[in-house]
Structures are given as structure tokens and as C-alpha cells.
Amino acid sequence: MRHTISVLVENKFGVLSRISGLFSGRGYNIESLSVGETIDPNISTMTIVTSGDDWIVEQINKQLNKLIDVIKVVDMTELDHVEREMVMIKVSPRQEDKAEVLRLAEIFRGRIVDSSPKTYTIEVTGNEKKIEAFVELLRPMGIKEFVRTGKIAIAREGVKKP
Amino acid sequence: MKMTGSEILLESLKKEGVKHLFGYPGGVVLNIFDLLHDEKELQLILTRHEQGAVHAADGYARATGKAGVALVTSGPGATNTVTGIATAAMDSIPLVVITGQVPTMLIGNDAFQEADIVGITRPCTKYNFLVKNVSDLALTIKEAFHIANTGRPGPVLIDLPKDVTTSKAEFHWPDHVKIRSYNPTYEGNKYMITQAAHMIAKAKKPLIIAGGGVISSDAAKELREFAEITGVPVTMTMMGLGGFPGSHKLSLGMLGMHGTYYANKAVQDSDLLIAIGMRFDDRVTGKIDAFAPNAKIIHIDIDPTSIRKNVRVDLPIVGDVKRVLTVMNKVIHDEVKEPWAEVRKAWTKQLDAWKKEHPMDYDRDADVIKPQYVIEKIHELTKGDAIIATEVGQNQMWAAQFYKYDKPRTWLSSGGLGTMGYGLPAAIGAQLAYPNKLVIDIAGDGSIQMNIQELATAVINKLPVKVAILNNRFLGMVRQWQELFFQERYSHTKLDETVPDFVKIAEAYSAVGLRATKKSEVVPVLKEAFAIKRPVFMDFVIDWTEKVYPMVPAGAAIDQMLFREQEVKKPEKKLKAVK
């Protein structure tokens, strides 16, 4: 099963390598990873999407906790939480598809962040399903470039699964 | 007062109570070594290889319980420490390894003797540091020792660029250190401990498996009390030898691949395993699906990742073994009233029957020198009061099986990594810590050659280590596997005439060399060696056909053992194949 794990780490050099080294050294998957500073510049949050059975995920959580630079590990999958990722897609639609592209962008609450005579660059945020759906709809219009962030996640306040 | 980085380093080591370090000089650590030239309180032991320095620090740490310290140069000096560091990491041994590094402005430039040792050792250290600013140095050293010694111990590396050793800063030694992201759990959960006590009280066939954690948490006394008040028999992992007296009536000796028949049978038949400070290594469990099929498992360990890593656990207790057992003993004493002895009579009887069925034995009537005979005689002559280091392979297993370790920290052996070449430098480290103790390295003719240069270290520093080489002219353990599982195709394991004359080697290094080729010479050679106050190589020319038994083949359940008795008699000509 897939798990989204949020890891608070000391914002030191080499810490990303310690985390990624743990995953590669022990043969765990990383499906996506995103890192950023928190409000406290000494601390970063890493959001890691991984998969494995309960045994493996339990080990991943414990092994992460064991790393000296790790302050806190939260398996978001066990909590009610909000997940988001972002894509930026550059499409070069045919003249007759241009209106459809703009309409899709609007439906998905995307924003046009750049346009040229031949292309639009659309930014969309959302959960994985939304992003996937958007990409599928845009695909026939001619995707020229595509970049996607890793997932970030945050727990909903005060609601714990029983 | 401002001090240079080199001065801060040495001052910090003294503040940490370090007396000895092991090392090897080189370009970027010249400033530190220059200070050591006049140093009175710190003694640096010059080894002949950086790997030797780290193993010596490791042997020092295993024998004393205090972190061992090594100091080497950058580049090849640093990379040569990797095997030693990995050895310590696998066996949870506290080390602080200080490596020189090229000046900070050259880092990343592929400078002369530059290696990214922090990157290289990241997976095999508990933690590592690159010190970029001299004002961070004292705190870094404090943190390094703190991390190495606390929680589940392990090696820590400090990479020290040359410019940091020369630039100056005020020296502030922190009284204590707090790392917010590092908080090992020491106290076991009282509720869980009470639950465990009641499970033990009810068990009909309980068994303790004691591991290296008993030794690193200094809990031998508590374990003994625990076993004695509950009457539960104890088997030990290889790392746990000495954690419980090997000659105690409750001891079943070692378990696992080359464990005793009765220990392995007991595991498989037990209804309750109490695993203490051990991690269910594959050499212990054999085939994991078939391991202890009837047992509930209580697992006590300071490292949560050890729990439920390899086997299912019914009751985990995370905490320091010594503290958990102290509470456990009290709970058992105060609360548990079950009449154990009565309930477990059948279990004791069964264990006795297994002991009779397959005792630890070998061909005692043989004319040739049997390696087990040498080990037994070492035990007899030292009355079990020596510190034994080993290399890796058959020598190590025989030393584990036929010497009874009654005290902790008298058995120094590379368990997890299985590092050939560990024993001689480790023995040197232990001898330095205990100059008046008899320290013996039990070696093979293969593995002694992996760090044989350290004999020079022993000689020059007047460290009278004794090396008993069980010389079968083969890489014996691999040969054993080839004999049993590869149709006797001895691919690259026959050293034969290329084995050097160990007596001459010893003499070339100004040590003493002795040889025994007949059984009757074994005891005289041992006696002579133990009486000499200098390093001695003893070359025991043993029966090359001898194998380590019992043996659990790889992938089998641990009660599926091979025994000596099943061995088909070999034709005589094979025996003559080796002089």
C-alpha cells in the first residue's frame, strides 16, 4: 500500500543524502520526494511517497526515526490529511483546440502562466487524481513539456482516524 | 585564550577521558601529529595500516566499553578505515574516527589525497561530521562521543579539513550536549515489562536468547539474576558470548548456524523466547519461516528498528537491556508467585536429553592436531581468564564453540560484517587497555595474513599478544562449504605451499615464533608462549579436513543440522593431499 510520510529534519547539508541513502541502501521505493524549509529555517520538511506492506512501512518509519538528523516522522496515511502537487504543462494546441485548452484550464482552476503565439503554459495544483485527469484531457492537444512537483501533505487539524 | 584546531582537538579528547588513540600520519594531519610529538597525556599507537588502527580502536572499545579513537589522514588513509568502521557499525561498537581532509577551499576539486569520506561512510557510521569552522570543533567532538556511546552504540566519523586544524578559536568545552533529534529510549515500558513477567511465569518451555546488547549495556549481572530467579535456560548469539557465563548450568552455549544442537532444538521447541539485546540475524534464525514455530516472542532491545525487522514479535520492549532487566527482576520478585521449577521439570529433562544426544564434541582420539583440541587447551591453561580475539571463519567458530566465555568483554570477534583480519589488531587494542591480561588472537592461516603487518605494532609497543594460528593451509570455511555443497571443487581456497612460514615471519618482526605439528606439542607450545612477555605467533599445523559442526546449511531451519557423525569417511589419499 502507498504511504505519504512527512519527515521533519534538521536543515543541514547532507541530510537529503542520508534519507535517500536509507531508502536505496535498504531497498525501499521512493515514488516522490519533495523538500522545503519550514517557518523555522533550521528545519526542513520532506514529504516522501513510498509503498510497501505494513512490515516494510513500519521499518521505514522506524529507520527514518533512527537517523540522527530526523526530528519527527508522521505517516500521513494514518491521519486525515490534505495532499497537493503541482504541474506546469506547456501545450501547443492546433488553432481549433485553443479554446478547449483554455476551457479545460478553467475547469481545473488552472492558470495560464505563460503564453506565446504557439503555446500556453498552464499551472495546476491539486491532488494526484485531479492532476492525472487534467493531464489525460490535455494529452490529445499536444503536450510539449511537462514538469511536476513531488507531493506535499499536511494533516487536518484535530481529526484522527479512530 | 585562542587555540588552533589541532590544540582544540587534543584538548577535547582529553576532556572526553581519552588516553589512547590509534592512527597513521599523513599530509593533512601533520599539524595534529606535530602536537602529539610532545604530548604527555595522550598516547598515539602507530599501526601499520589504517584498517589496523580502526580494528585496534574497536578491540579497545569492546574490551573496555569506552569509545575507541582512531586518527588518520585524508584520501587513502580515510578510505582504508571503511572496513573497520563497517565492522564496528554492524556490531554496535562505539568508535570515534577522525580523518584529515584537504583544506576547505579545495574540497570538491579532486585535490591530492581527497576522498569524500563523509559521503563514503554515511551508510556505515551511526553519524558523521564535516567540520567546516574551527569554532564548531569542540562541540562536534562532544556530540561525536555522545552519539557513539549512547543509545545503540556505533562508530562516528569526524572529517577535519587541514585549514580547520590550523585556524584559531576560543576553546569552550560544553558540559553536556543535547541533540533535539536524538533521544534514545532507555526506560522500558513498565506495563509491557509486567506483561512479560507474567508470560514468563506461565511458559512451560521458555528460553532466553542473549545478544551483544547485554554486553554493550553492561547487563551481565542483571541477566544472570534474571535467568537464575526464573530458572530459564540461556543461549547466546555469537555477539552475546560472555554476556552469560558459558560454564553456567543454565547455559546452552551458542545458537544458530554453528550453534549447539541443544540450543537450536530448544529454540524450535520453545513456547516462549525472551530475546534480549539481539537482532535475529540470519545466521541465528536460519530459515525464517521455520524459526521457532511454537514460540511467542518477547523482544527487548534499545533499537526499535531491530524489533519486527526479521521475525514477528508478540511483546516488544524498547529500552536499555540493563534497565529493563532491573525492573523485570523486581517485578518477578514482587509480583510473580508461579511455581516455575515444578512446571518446567519436563523442559529441563528434555534439554538434558538433547545435551546427551549431541554434545559438543570432536575426535579426541585423533593423532593429528584437532583445532578444537587447541581451543580447549587454551581454555584449560588460561582458566578462561584470557581475552580472546578471533579472525573470521572456522577459527572463529571453533573459538566460539570450545572456549567457555564466563565474563563479558573477553570475546572480541567480528560478528555482523565477518571481517577477516580483525583479530590481530583488535587483540592489540585490548592488550593496550589491559597490559597485564593475557590476550590471545585465535586465527587461521588465511585471515592472519590480512593484517599481519600489525605484528610490528605489537612488537614496537611491547604489547605481548599471543596469536594461535590454526593452520590448515586452506581458506577453511569456504573450503568446508565447497566440500559440502560444491562437490569438493576447491576453487581458490587451497593456499597450500603459498602459506608462509609463520615462525620465520614472527622472527622477522622480532617477535617469537613457535610451531606444533604433533598433538603432544600443543600444550608445551601454549605454555611456552603464555610465559613469554613478548608477542608470539604459534603455528598449529592442524588436520585440514576438520570442519565446523554442527552446521545448519544456508536456507534450512536451525534444527536441520549436519553432524560430524554423518560425515562419510574420506579415502586416505585425500588426507595426504596437503603436507
Side-chain angles (χ1 to χ4, degrees), chain A residues 10 12-14 17-18 26 40 42-43 54-55 58-59 62-63 65-71, chain B residues 118 122 126-128 130 132 147 152 179-182 303-305 307-312:
Chain A
E10 295 286 350
K12 287 184 188 165
F13 96 129
S17 150
R18 287 182 203 279
R26 294 190 181 267
D40 178 350
N42 297 313
I43 298 178
D54 290 353
W55 275 65
E58 181 182 331
Q59 268 300 312
K62 287 175 171 178
Q63 294 285 357
N65 260 311
K66 188 173 163 179
L67 291 179
I68 308 278
D69 285 333
V70 169
I71 301 165
Chain B
V118 169
R122 213 169 267 138
K126 185 170 172 187
Y127 197 65
N128 58 18
L130 169 64
K132 283 187 161 168
I147 292 170
R152 178 175 175 177
I179 302 169
R180 65 175 159 183
S181 54
Y182 175 65
D303 181 358
T305 67
I307 290 167
R308 268 166 59 85
K309 184 174 67 180
N310 299 335
V311 298
R312 73 206 143 71

Side-chain angles (χ1 to χ4, degrees), chain B residues 45-283:
Chain B
I45 302 294
L46 174 71
T47 55
R48 293 301 182 270
H49 192 297
E50 288 89 351
Q51 188 191 349
V54 181
H55 288 327
D58 173 310
Y60 187 90
R62 288 186 209 229
T64 61
K66 290 189 290 191
V69 185
L71 170 64
V72 302
T73 193
S74 63
T79 55
N80 275 343
T81 65
V82 172
T83 303
I85 292 171
T87 303
M90 287 288 265
D91 291 347
S92 310
I93 305 303
L95 289 186
V96 174
V97 177
I98 301 152
T99 52
Q101 181 56 281
V102 300
T104 30
M105 54 169 289
L106 286 182
I107 290 178
N109 277 12
D110 298 328
F112 176 64
Q113 293 197 329
E114 178 183 359
D116 173 17
I117 198 63
V118 169
I120 290 168
T121 59
R122 213 169 267 138
C124 64
T125 49
K126 185 170 172 187
Y127 197 65
N128 58 18
F129 298 89
L130 169 64
V131 184
K132 283 187 161 168
N133 194 326
V134 67
S135 55
D136 298 336
L137 181 55
L139 179 63
T140 301
I141 294 166
K142 182 82 184 174
E143 288 186 343
F145 277 89
H146 175 65
I147 292 170
N149 280 317
T150 54
R152 178 175 175 177
V156 176
L157 181 136
I158 303 172
D159 201 21
L160 203 51
K162 182 168 189 175
D163 54 321
V164 176
T165 68
T166 53
S167 43
K168 289 188 169 185
E170 289 290 336
F171 177 62
H172 293 294
W173 183 245
D175 295 331
H176 60 278
V177 58
K178 172 104 185 82
I179 302 169
R180 65 175 159 183
S181 54
Y182 175 65
N183 301 293
T185 307
Y186 292 104
E187 303 298 341
N189 181 302
K190 180 79 191 288
Y191 174 76
M192 299 294 240
I193 295 175
T194 310
Q195 292 287 103
H198 288 285
M199 278 170 81
I200 296 162
K202 287 189 190 76
K204 292 194 172 64
K205 301 171 178 178
L207 176 68
I208 295 166
I209 307 180
V214 172
I215 293 161
S216 46
S217 90
D218 190 23
K221 189 175 130 265
E222 288 74 13
L223 172 62
R224 185 172 177 161
E225 188 187 339
F226 174 58
E228 284 176 350
I229 57 176
T230 56
V232 178
V234 183
T235 177
M236 285 149 280
T237 68
M238 200 203 83
M239 289 303 300
L241 293 175
F244 186 78
S247 51
H248 196 286
K249 66 175 175 16
L250 285 169
S251 168
L252 299 178
M254 185 171 77
L255 82 162
M257 181 172 272
H258 293 296
T260 65
Y261 171 73
Y262 31 98
N264 285 356
K265 286 295 274 188
V267 170
Q268 295 301 79
D269 200 45
S270 166
D271 64 350
L272 180 67
L273 293 181
I274 307 139
I276 306 178
M278 55 85 68
R279 58 186 176 87
F280 293 99
D281 177 83
D282 53 279
R283 286 308 198 247

Side-chain angles (χ1 to χ4, degrees), chain A:
Chain A
M1 188 188 149
R2 256 166 135 201
H3 286 248
T4 303
I5 300 172
S6 181
V7 191
L8 278 188
V9 298
E10 295 286 350
N11 190 7
K12 287 184 188 165
F13 96 129
V15 68
L16 176 61
S17 150
R18 287 182 203 279
I19 304 260
S20 61
L22 166 67
F23 277 77
S24 64
R26 294 190 181 267
Y28 308 141
N29 288 322
I30 297 184
E31 292 183 15
S32 92
L33 171 81
S34 73
V35 195
E37 259 182 28
T38 62
I39 292 298
D40 178 350
N42 297 313
I43 298 178
S44 294
T45 306
M46 292 192 185
T47 310
I48 302 170
V49 180
T50 184
S51 58
D53 59 24
D54 290 353
W55 275 65
I56 289 174
V57 173
E58 181 182 331
Q59 268 300 312
I60 291 174
N61 277 296
K62 287 175 171 178
Q63 294 285 357
L64 283 168
N65 260 311
K66 188 173 163 179
L67 291 179
I68 308 278
D69 285 333
V70 169
I71 301 165
K72 194 178 174 192
V73 180
V74 181
D75 188 345
M76 286 292 175
T77 318
E78 290 170 3
L79 307 169
D80 201 359
H81 68 284
V82 183
E83 286 183 3
R84 287 291 179 272
E85 50 192 288
M86 184 174 99
V87 283
M88 288 195 282
I89 306 175
K90 197 182 282 175
V91 279
S92 52
R94 288 171 304 218
Q95 193 59 37
E96 61 266 36
D97 289 334
K98 277 191 170 173
E100 176 68 2
V101 168
L102 294 177
R103 205 173 63 86
L104 283 172
E106 198 176 319
I107 293 169
F108 281 84
R109 295 186 201 173
R111 293 199 303 146
I112 310 294
V113 290
D114 184 42
S115 66
S116 71
K118 286 191 171 164
T119 63
Y120 291 120
T121 302
I122 309 165
E123 169 204 306
V124 171
T125 60
N127 62 20
E128 194 182 344
K129 272 189 184 156
K130 177 179 165 187
I131 305 273
E132 298 288 337
F134 184 60
V135 171
E136 281 317 304
L137 288 169
L138 273 193
R139 201 185 288 275
M141 316 281 171
I143 294 176
K144 211 175 158 209
E145 265 184 73
F146 177 88
V147 287
R148 187 173 187 167
T149 64
K151 202 176 278 182
I152 55 170
I154 197 163
R156 288 187 198 275
E157 191 54 34
V159 203
K160 255 189 180 172
K161 274 188 189 170

Side-chain angles (χ1 to χ4, degrees), chain B residues 14 30 40 79 131 151 222 225 231 286 293 303 359 378 410 413 462 477 490-491 560 570 573 575:
Chain B
K14 288 182 211 167
L30 271 166
K40 299 281 184 291
T79 55
V131 184
E222 288 74 13
E225 188 187 339
D303 181 358
I378 291 175
T410 57
S413 192
K462 301 193 165 48
M477 187 58 96
Y490 297 137
S491 176
Q560 306 297 308
K570 293 275 173 329
K573 66 174 172 38
L575 282 164

Side-chain angles (χ1 to χ4, degrees), chain B residues 544-579:
Chain B
W544 72 274
T545 63
E546 191 58 40
K547 287 182 281 301
V548 180
Y549 285 116
M551 177 179 189
V552 180
I558 59 167
D559 54 353
Q560 306 297 308
M561 310 179 84
L562 304 176
F563 298 100
R564 186 175 326 279
E565 299 87 298
Q566 298 160 330
E567 199 171 306
V568 191
K569 284 276 169 272
K570 293 275 173 329
E572 197 59 21
K573 66 174 172 38
K574 281 231 176 77
L575 282 164
K576 284 180 188 156
V578 170
K579 295 170 284 250

Side-chain angles (χ1 to χ4, degrees), chain B residues 439-492:
Chain B
V439 182
I440 305 164
D441 174 32
I442 293 173
D445 51 297
S447 43
I448 190 62
Q449 293 187 70
M450 282 222 184
N451 270 320
I452 201 161
Q453 77 286 347
E454 298 308 333
L455 185 54
T457 311
V459 170
I460 199 88
N461 291 290
K462 301 193 165 48
L463 298 167
V465 294
K466 310 292 182 262
V467 183
I469 301 168
L470 306 173
N471 184 353
N472 55 14
R473 303 190 167 226
F474 268 101
L475 301 175
M477 187 58 96
V478 182
R479 189 204 65 80
Q480 171 166 342
W481 283 57
Q482 288 171 333
E483 180 182 327
L484 295 172
F485 312 116
F486 291 85
Q487 298 81 43
E488 300 180 44
R489 288 158 55 81
Y490 297 137
S491 176
H492 299 274

